[in-house]
Amino acid sequence: MTKRPTSPRLADVAKAAGVSLASASRAMSADATVGDGTRMRVRAAALAMGYVPHGAARALASRRTRTIGAVFPPLDNPIFASGTNALARALADAGYTLLLASHDYDLSAETRAARALIERGVDGLVLVGNDHEPALMAMLAQAGIPFEITWMTDPSQRQHAVGLDHRVASMRVTRHLLDLGHREFAVVTGPVHANDRARDRYSGVRDTLETASVPLPAERVVQGDFSIAAGRRSLERLLAQAPGFTALICSNDVQAIGALLECAARSIRVPTDLSVAGFDDIELASEMRPTLTTVRVPSAEIGRRAGERLLARLAGQPVERSERLPAPLIERESTGVAASGPRPSKDAGAPDSDRALPHAVVDAEPAR
Amino acid sequence: MTKRPTSPRLADVAKAAGVSLASASRAMSADATVGDGTRMRVRAAALAMGYVPHGAARALASRRTRTIGAVFPPLDNPIFASGTNALARALADAGYTLLLASHDYDLSAETRAARALIERGVDGLVLVGNDHEPALMAMLAQAGIPFEITWMTDPSQRQHAVGLDHRVASMRVTRHLLDLGHREFAVVTGPVHANDRARDRYSGVRDTLETASVPLPAERVVQGDFSIAAGRRSLERLLAQAPGFTALICSNDVQAIGALLECAARSIRVPTDLSVAGFDDIELASEMRPTLTTVRVPSAEIGRRAGERLLARLAGQPVERSERLPAPLIERESTGVAASGPRPSKDAGAPDSDRALPHAVVDAEPAR
DNA sequence: TTGTAGGCGTTATCAT
DNA sequence: ATGATAACGCCTACAA
């Protein structure tokens, strides 16, 4: 044992390069004012010694960690997985790292997780939706940490947010089915506690039907979590307790695919006997047979933009408060003219030709 | 403006509680020797002032961050998503936080990502597989950071690892199909660069066939990435360039499901005309029609165990070097007796009754 | 352009 | 059980 092999510090690098600690520090950080020769020598010495900066020391002195935190619902959900992935990538490209925490739609767990991230000194935070404990918001305010709300927009424009209007998108789906002549609806909703996205989607359906004077009795609404199995069971329950519906709206694609599989198992023809719609447009939606009518949620773009926006704000650049991404209705094979639909509202004779275009993208952004 | 509202430091809490900085520090960290009264007063003061510990300062002084890093391939892959999820949870339960980085099967990106994590002072690191740049291993060694290899075991027992033997599991799948009388095989392999799991799975198939003197011509092997679309295209290519096979082995479930969907589109009956097998046992595998024969990979458990093992090692507890989790073959509906299978190796008359048990778990751990 | 020196907020080592 | 006080490794005015 020669000397106890502790990893080299910046001071060691400086000594090896024959410069002061300060110069070494400048040479290592990109944009400082250092002589070219000095920079080269320092960098070379650092490389040779296998020097790795000490993040904590750097953070303590500079008061920033080049780290962004994110508190997400379970990553098992494909949309959050792809969002996380895109977020991590956007940050990495800028030399930032993602600190990740997740929770099971449990607000107090979310607060604890966020607290852990804040203690770690994250420079910014990414949250999902607007459902949070006041304590969390207070912590963020006191710590002065910039944050982004994702997947949702903030109508009040108080928070920085990048996402979509789940309610409007959901109304679009409902209207699509109404236009196909459906009058007997059933709904599979997700867990709505601590999940404003699911709540908005449900209220979009309910209110649209109400406006159209189409009833949605309580027995035609069931709640299940976001899994294929839950989708199957939900349809099963609906068929048992209130059969006779011709249109089924699910809170997300995973549930809808479960419903489609259950239909296949029961020889229920889709869309002849039953139309099924989802939400998210995961890869499987366009690959299933029948292909699934759904709303395209740009998860990866949400993740990417959240990262970019946060980085821009940290750099002092202006960004618009709330950014709404398009969430177009994607009409596919799983929805069609109502079987026993009474009076199809519009051109009930023609829609077959429309449906012949499976992957047609109908971006019905409300005209305004 | 009264005083510039900077967030309170431990010194402020100490003052408010009427104790010294040192006592306040001890009162905040669980296991120190402090008087009960002191602890109470300090905690109360901290709560009242909304005190949040400064992680960087703490890390600098204590030389540990209570943070674990993980460098994963894309989380789009369901197995990594659930593994990440379980890992994050296991760590959170112990007061640790997960620092996450991901890469696209790019070794140099992986090294860069790991470096970023090490700079952040992670107390431990989780990697996937054994394919890494020597530079990364050198960094880990020099920094003295404990790490876990996941999804793979390390036969040499040099590294700490928790995972499964992809080769053996893959051989099990192949033998299952051989036993069903298949002699004409086709294989969809994943990207094998920087992915020893995929390599092992492929070699397991190839070697098993070779041992059985069953040919696997080059035209019967295609490579595609891990997506449903790639699975479909791969089957398409195989049918175009070398039709006539009765068994298809895919590198993972996502590809296999793509293949099943393509079969449905082409009216190829599964398993009557073609048997299809996957790997991973994602949720969809048991929900698809036909249900998919595959290997159950305990992704969530791998993530959880990786976290637990790392925490145990950090606590100085002993853990066995390399931990192999069971990866049983799950026989389901997508595999069956070879249509034109020449001389079924064994009891070709009976297997139908076996196949009548769709979800049967056959854990064929090699006897040894 | 480069060097000097004073923090950054906590923990840990000593005394007491 | 508690209190001073010296690290911890780096950044950043400020001075030269």
Side-chain angles (χ1 to χ4, degrees):
Chain A
M1 49 195 79
T2 56
K3 219 186 160 188
R4 174 138 162 279
T6 173
S7 35
R9 294 162 304 166
L10 188 54
D12 301 324
V13 174
K15 200 170 303 174
V19 300
S20 74
L21 177 58
S23 290
S25 173
R26 294 190 189 98
M28 292 308 289
S29 57
D31 56 358
T33 75
V34 214
D36 279 349
T38 308
R39 166 172 290 124
M40 307 270 268
R41 263 179 300 142
V42 173
R43 294 254 165 124
L47 201 60
M49 308 174 67
Y51 168 72
V52 175
H54 190 297
R58 182 190 289 229
L60 185 55
S62 68
R63 311 171 125 302
R64 17 189 278 120
T65 58
R66 302 211 124 226
T67 282
I68 299 292
V71 187
F72 275 20
L75 303 176
D76 302 76
N77 190 324
I79 65 166
F80 293 123
S82 79
T84 303
N85 215 38
L87 172 59
R89 193 138 327 214
L91 297 179
D93 290 348
Y96 275 69
T97 304
L98 180 65
L99 248 177
L100 183 72
S102 59
H103 64 94
D104 281 315
Y105 296 103
D106 171 348
L107 255 31
S108 98
E110 184 195 43
T111 300
R112 286 196 302 278
R115 185 190 167 85
L117 298 185
I118 292 171
E119 287 183 10
R120 263 68 173 186
V122 294
D123 293 338
L125 199 58
V126 177
L127 298 173
V128 176
N130 283 304
D131 274 3
H132 308 289
E133 290 188 333
L136 171 51
M137 297 325 241
M139 274 181 52
L140 288 170
Q142 159 146 18
I145 295 180
F147 63 97
E148 289 282 333
I149 299 299
T150 53
W151 268 272
M152 288 285 280
T153 54
D154 181 19
S156 72
Q157 290 282 98
R158 308 179 87 88
Q159 315 289 181
H160 288 258
V162 52
L164 55 130
D165 191 323
H166 294 254
R167 201 172 126 72
V168 167
S170 201
M171 294 174 78
R172 221 173 280 156
V173 173
T174 312
R175 176 137 306 286
H176 163 64
L177 288 162
L178 283 170
D179 288 349
L180 287 171
H182 293 275
R183 289 300 177 272
E184 299 289 336
F185 284 76
V187 173
V188 179
T189 177
V192 293
H193 174 69
N195 187 338
D196 47 7
R197 286 85 63 208
R199 273 207 304 284
D200 276 11
R201 296 202 286 261
Y202 176 54
S203 79
V205 174
R206 204 193 34 204
D207 296 355
T208 303
L209 291 180
E210 191 171 316
T211 301
S213 301
V214 170
L216 180 64
E219 322 84 72
R220 286 277 174 79
V221 179
V222 302
Q223 179 168 333
D225 55 50
F226 296 129
S227 70
I228 295 176
R232 299 188 72 143
R233 278 199 308 273
S234 297
L235 176 52
E236 195 174 8
R237 282 182 49 198
L238 286 167
L239 289 171
Q241 70 192 27
F245 48 90
T246 64
L248 177 68
I249 300 181
C250 297
S251 195
N252 81 353
D253 282 358
V254 177
Q255 292 180 333
I257 282 162
L260 287 181
L261 291 168
E262 185 65 21
C263 285
R266 293 169 176 258
S267 303
I268 296 174
R269 292 165 301 173
V270 176
T272 314
D273 302 328
L274 179 66
S275 283
V276 176
F279 206 106
D280 284 346
D281 196 27
I282 62 180
E283 189 193 9
L284 200 51
S286 55
E287 302 286 358
M288 280 294 291
R289 284 304 113 92
T291 54
L292 180 66
T293 291
T294 187
V295 171
R296 174 166 299 154
V297 175
S299 307
E301 190 175 358
I302 289 173
R304 187 173 56 73
R305 285 297 299 148
E308 290 172 351
R309 286 167 53 89
L310 221 31
L311 293 175
R313 288 168 62 190
L314 289 172
Q317 295 161 19
V319 301
E320 57 172 331
R321 262 280 163 67
S322 182
E323 188 173 333
R324 194 185 65 182
L325 269 28
L329 173 69
I330 312 289
E331 296 182 37
R332 296 209 184 91
E333 301 164 354
S334 70
T335 51
V337 175
S340 50
R343 38 182 184 297
S345 62
K346 300 187 177 178
D347 45 4
D352 246 329
S353 62
D354 282 329
R355 288 182 41 241
L357 302 166
H359 290 226
V361 174
V362 179
D363 188 346
E365 282 293 330
R368 65 170 46 255
Chain B
M1 49 194 74
T2 55
K3 219 186 164 188
R4 176 138 160 279
T6 173
S7 35
R9 294 162 303 166
L10 188 54
D12 301 325
V13 175
K15 200 171 303 172
V19 300
S20 75
L21 176 59
S23 291
S25 173
R26 289 192 276 256
M28 293 307 289
S29 58
D31 55 358
T33 77
V34 213
D36 279 350
T38 309
R39 166 172 289 123
M40 307 272 266
R41 263 178 301 142
V42 173
R43 294 255 165 123
L47 201 61
M49 307 173 68
Y51 168 72
V52 175
H54 191 296
R58 179 185 288 222
L60 184 56
S62 69
R63 312 167 121 314
R64 20 191 272 119
T65 58
R66 304 212 123 225
T67 281
I68 298 292
V71 187
F72 275 19
L75 303 176
D76 302 76
N77 189 326
I79 65 166
F80 293 122
S82 79
T84 303
N85 216 38
L87 172 59
R89 193 139 328 218
L91 297 179
D93 290 348
Y96 274 70
T97 304
L98 179 66
L99 248 177
L100 182 73
S102 60
H103 64 93
D104 282 315
Y105 296 103
D106 172 348
L107 256 29
S108 99
E110 184 195 42
T111 301
R112 285 196 303 278
R115 184 190 168 84
L117 299 185
I118 293 171
E119 286 183 11
R120 262 69 174 186
V122 294
D123 294 338
L125 199 59
V126 177
L127 298 173
V128 176
N130 283 303
D131 274 3
H132 309 288
E133 290 188 332
L136 171 51
M137 298 325 241
M139 276 180 52
L140 288 170
Q142 158 145 22
I145 296 180
F147 63 98
E148 289 282 333
I149 299 299
T150 52
W151 268 272
M152 289 285 278
T153 53
D154 181 18
S156 73
Q157 290 280 97
R158 308 180 86 89
Q159 314 291 180
H160 287 258
V162 52
L164 55 130
D165 190 324
H166 293 254
R167 203 175 124 74
V168 166
S170 201
M171 294 173 79
R172 220 172 282 155
V173 173
T174 312
R175 175 138 307 285
H176 163 65
L177 288 163
L178 282 171
D179 289 348
L180 287 171
H182 293 273
R183 290 299 177 271
E184 298 289 336
F185 283 76
V187 173
V188 179
T189 177
V192 293
H193 174 69
N195 187 339
D196 47 7
R197 285 85 64 207
R199 272 207 306 282
D200 277 11
R201 296 202 285 262
Y202 176 53
S203 80
V205 174
R206 205 194 33 205
D207 296 355
T208 302
L209 292 181
E210 192 171 314
T211 301
S213 300
V214 170
L216 181 64
E219 322 84 73
R220 286 276 174 79
V221 179
V222 303
Q223 178 169 335
D225 54 52
F226 295 127
S227 70
I228 294 176
R232 300 189 71 142
R233 278 198 310 272
S234 296
L235 175 52
E236 195 174 8
R237 282 182 50 199
L238 286 168
L239 290 171
Q241 70 193 27
F245 49 90
T246 64
L248 176 68
I249 301 181
C250 297
S251 194
N252 80 355
D253 283 357
V254 176
Q255 292 180 333
I257 283 162
L260 287 181
L261 291 167
E262 185 65 21
C263 285
R266 293 170 175 256
S267 303
I268 296 174
R269 291 165 302 172
V270 175
T272 314
D273 302 328
L274 179 66
S275 283
V276 176
F279 205 108
D280 284 346
D281 196 27
I282 63 179
E283 189 193 10
L284 200 51
S286 55
E287 301 286 358
M288 280 294 291
R289 285 303 113 90
T291 54
L292 181 66
T293 291
T294 187
V295 170
R296 175 166 299 155
V297 175
S299 307
E301 190 174 359
I302 289 173
R304 186 173 56 74
R305 285 296 299 148
E308 291 172 350
R309 287 166 54 89
L310 222 30
L311 293 174
R313 288 168 62 190
L314 289 173
Q317 297 161 19
V319 300
E320 56 172 332
R321 262 280 163 68
S322 182
E323 187 172 334
R324 194 184 65 182
L325 270 28
L329 173 69
I330 312 289
E331 296 183 36
R332 296 209 184 91
E333 299 164 355
S334 70
T335 51
V337 175
S340 52
R343 37 180 188 297
S345 62
K346 300 187 178 178
D347 46 3
D352 245 327
S353 62
D354 282 330
R355 289 182 41 240
L357 303 166
H359 290 229
V361 174
V362 179
D363 189 346
E365 281 293 330
R368 65 170 46 254

